[in-house]
């Protein structure tokens, strides 16, 4: 058999090979685009939902006149700074949770979702407990539990996605600072 007489067959006799390849490439691009849109949509939900809950919490329960009037040390942040950094912390936790979810980490480590939801709930509960109800001891316990949940999140997230674990570190620092502020509020 002569190798020079060999011809290549296309999928359809009517359609040239380049048209088939272009169609297949177009289909792959469409699939990638659809996946990217789903990823952006899930990222928006994973970040916007906790942030909107946090904003709702600040608006309805977040501050009282007691924090502004009480004599406090000079290093105490103003209420707007507490809210701003809580907002940033919520954003970082939502982003890191999305990174873990995108890697399939909540299926691999189901404890991670419960720790994330616990820290989110405790973070939302801390503001009304301390500023509206004035229960600083209960707020301190909530803040310490939130710190523990964030430590757990950091460990679980780091095993799935190291970047997600690193994004949690500023949240740990913020929770520790909140605990110090809350402890000082207890003794005022």
């Amino acid at each position: 058999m002569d190798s020079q007489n060999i011809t290549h067959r296309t999928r359809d006799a009517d359609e040239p090979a380049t048209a088939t390849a272009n169609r297949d490439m177009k289909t792959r691009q469409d699939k990638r685009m659809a996946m990217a849109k789903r990823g952006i949509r899930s990222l928006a939900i994973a970040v916007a939902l906790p942030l909107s809950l946090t904003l709702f919490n600040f608006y309805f329960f977040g501050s009282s006149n007691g924090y502004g009037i009480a004599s406090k040390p000079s290093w105490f942040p103003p209420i707007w700074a507490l809210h701003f950094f809580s907002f940033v912390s919520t954003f970082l936790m939502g982003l890191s949770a999305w990174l873990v979810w995108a890697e399939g980490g909540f299926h691999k480590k189901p404890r991670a979702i419960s720790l994330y939801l616990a820290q989110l709930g405790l973070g939302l509960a801390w503001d009304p407990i301390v500023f509206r109800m004035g229960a600083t001891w209960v707020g301190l316990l909530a803040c310490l539990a939130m710190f523990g949940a964030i430590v757990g999140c950091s460990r679980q997230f780091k095993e799935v996605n190291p970047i997600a674990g690193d994004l949690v570190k500023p949240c740990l620092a913020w929770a520790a600072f909140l605990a110090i502020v809350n402890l000082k509020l207890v003794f005022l």
Side-chain angles (χ1 to χ4, degrees):
M1 181 179 246
D2 264 334
S3 62
Q4 293 160 353
N5 293 335
I6 296 176
T7 60
H8 295 282
R9 289 192 297 178
T10 61
R11 291 184 186 169
D12 292 336
D14 302 345
E15 192 174 25
T18 56
T20 303
N22 288 342
R23 187 182 62 220
D24 289 344
M25 190 166 61
K26 180 86 169 148
T27 305
R28 275 188 246 129
Q29 287 176 345
D30 290 343
K31 287 180 183 178
R32 286 184 189 155
M33 188 62 102
M35 250 174 47
K37 285 181 182 177
R38 282 195 311 265
I40 296 293
R41 191 176 314 134
S42 65
L43 173 62
I45 291 169
V47 172
L49 184 64
L51 287 179
S52 62
L53 288 172
T54 302
L55 286 175
F56 177 83
N57 189 37
F58 293 161
Y59 184 75
F60 287 106
F61 308 113
S63 62
S64 69
N65 293 335
Y67 184 77
I69 295 171
S71 63
K72 46 189 195 286
S74 62
W75 57 269
F76 260 44
I79 193 76
W80 65 265
L82 285 175
H83 287 167
F84 175 75
F85 287 111
S86 293
F87 189 78
V88 170
S89 178
T90 301
F91 171 77
L92 290 174
M93 286 301 294
L95 181 61
S96 63
W98 179 80
L99 287 170
V100 170
W101 173 81
E103 295 276 334
F106 290 138
H107 294 291
K108 295 175 193 170
K109 305 265 183 200
R111 188 169 168 222
I113 188 74
S114 61
L115 288 169
Y116 170 70
L117 292 175
Q119 77 78 30
L120 179 64
L122 288 165
L124 291 172
W126 182 82
D127 235 25
I129 289 171
V130 173
F131 295 131
R132 283 289 180 193
M133 295 174 17
T136 54
W137 277 106
V138 177
L140 181 61
L141 292 175
C143 197
L144 292 174
M146 180 176 59
F147 183 81
I150 294 174
V151 168
C153 280
S154 177
R155 290 181 180 167
Q156 296 288 315
F157 288 5
K158 190 173 216 81
E159 290 177 13
V160 176
N161 186 330
I163 295 170
D166 290 341
L167 283 174
V168 175
K169 290 178 182 176
C171 303
L172 278 170
W174 177 244
F177 181 74
L178 274 183
I180 292 168
V181 167
N182 200 151
L183 184 64
K184 191 65 179 172
L185 285 173
V186 166
F187 293 115
L188 284 181

